[in-house]
Amino acid sequence: MLIIRIASNVLRLISNIGDIYSRHINKRNSKILEVSTGFGINTYTLLKITDDLGGSLVSIDIDSRRVEKAKKIFKSYIEKGVLKLELADARSLHYSDNSFDYVVSHTTLHHINDVERSLGEMTRVLKPLGKIIIVDLKPITPLILIPGHSPKHIARTRETTIKYIKNNLATIEEGVRGILYYIVAFKQ
């Protein structure tokens, strides 16, 4: 029961970043890539913004079960043409260079074994002056209850992410929100 309560609180804490998206995702008719769909919590937040702006969202995940589940949950958005769900690997995106106005990754990078390669792919598919929004976990002790979430691993992912963005993109905003850090940057 304790683990369920902790998981519930974690989900609440990681899903409260819509204001960051609203500040930075503001171009009408934009094309957004979400890396990755996961449980669909972030997808829902992005869909509300995307739909309001008349844009389209492509959400990818490496897990076919997540994609199929999301297709059922978000059927109405798919039918409206606002959402496309695809099976894809962030380390090797099948999209053309400069395809998206925005690329968003929410609590995903710490699950990927080649963070720098994934960030490179996200940057490659981002249009010039397009924005990338990375949201991921801070290295905090309670995460050790979740397999693969050691503070050391999370810290290494964060360091790699920040270093890549500082070296390859122009940072617009960065900060901390609860158990998350975020960084927003644009492609020059």
Side-chain angles (χ1 to χ4, degrees):
M1 188 61 145
L2 175 63
I3 291 177
I4 292 171
R5 221 173 326 157
I6 290 170
S8 175
N9 287 331
V10 167
L11 282 174
R12 184 179 46 75
L13 290 169
I14 66 173
S15 63
N16 189 19
I17 45 93
D19 63 307
I20 296 166
Y21 294 158
S22 294
R23 270 198 310 279
H24 295 285
I25 300 174
N26 48 28
K27 181 180 173 189
R28 295 215 42 81
N29 303 313
S30 57
K31 191 170 180 186
I32 303 168
L33 174 65
E34 178 190 28
V35 180
S36 76
T37 312
F39 294 111
I41 296 167
N42 193 62
T43 306
Y44 181 70
T45 303
L46 287 171
L47 276 171
K48 289 189 289 185
I49 295 167
T50 304
D51 199 20
D52 288 346
L53 292 171
S56 63
L57 174 66
V58 176
S59 183
I60 65 165
D61 203 293
I62 197 168
D63 185 338
S64 61
R65 295 169 300 177
R66 299 270 189 238
V67 172
E68 292 309 312
K69 179 101 171 151
K71 283 180 180 178
K72 292 175 186 166
I73 294 169
F74 300 115
K75 184 179 178 184
S76 64
Y77 285 101
I78 294 168
E79 290 171 350
K80 274 174 61 173
V82 176
L83 175 64
K84 189 174 183 183
L85 291 154
E86 297 183 349
L87 188 63
D89 186 335
R91 297 168 297 187
S92 181
L93 296 172
H94 61 272
Y95 308 106
S96 300
D97 295 359
N98 309 316
S99 296
F100 295 93
D101 300 291
Y102 303 95
V103 175
V104 178
S105 172
H106 186 284
T107 58
T108 300
L109 289 176
H110 66 276
H111 292 288
I112 298 173
N113 65 9
D114 194 341
V115 174
E116 197 165 342
R117 181 174 168 190
S118 298
L119 288 166
E121 281 292 282
M122 290 181 219
T123 302
R124 180 184 64 76
V125 302
L126 188 63
K127 292 177 181 178
L129 303 179
K131 293 180 186 175
I132 187 167
I133 303 173
I134 303 294
V135 180
D136 219 313
L137 299 171
K138 291 185 338 187
I140 58 173
T141 307
L143 293 173
I144 63 173
L145 297 172
I146 305 168
H149 289 76
S150 74
K152 186 177 180 179
H153 170 73
I154 300 292
R156 192 169 44 253
T157 299
R158 181 181 181 179
E159 289 165 13
T160 301
T161 300
I162 291 170
K163 181 180 176 188
Y164 178 90
I165 289 177
K166 300 277 185 194
N167 290 337
N168 296 283
L169 300 160
T171 302
I172 299 168
E173 180 182 346
E174 58 186 307
V176 172
R177 175 76 55 89
I179 64 167
L180 302 173
Y181 73 91
Y182 68 91
I183 186 163
V184 181
F186 72 91
K187 182 176 177 179
Q188 299 179 29

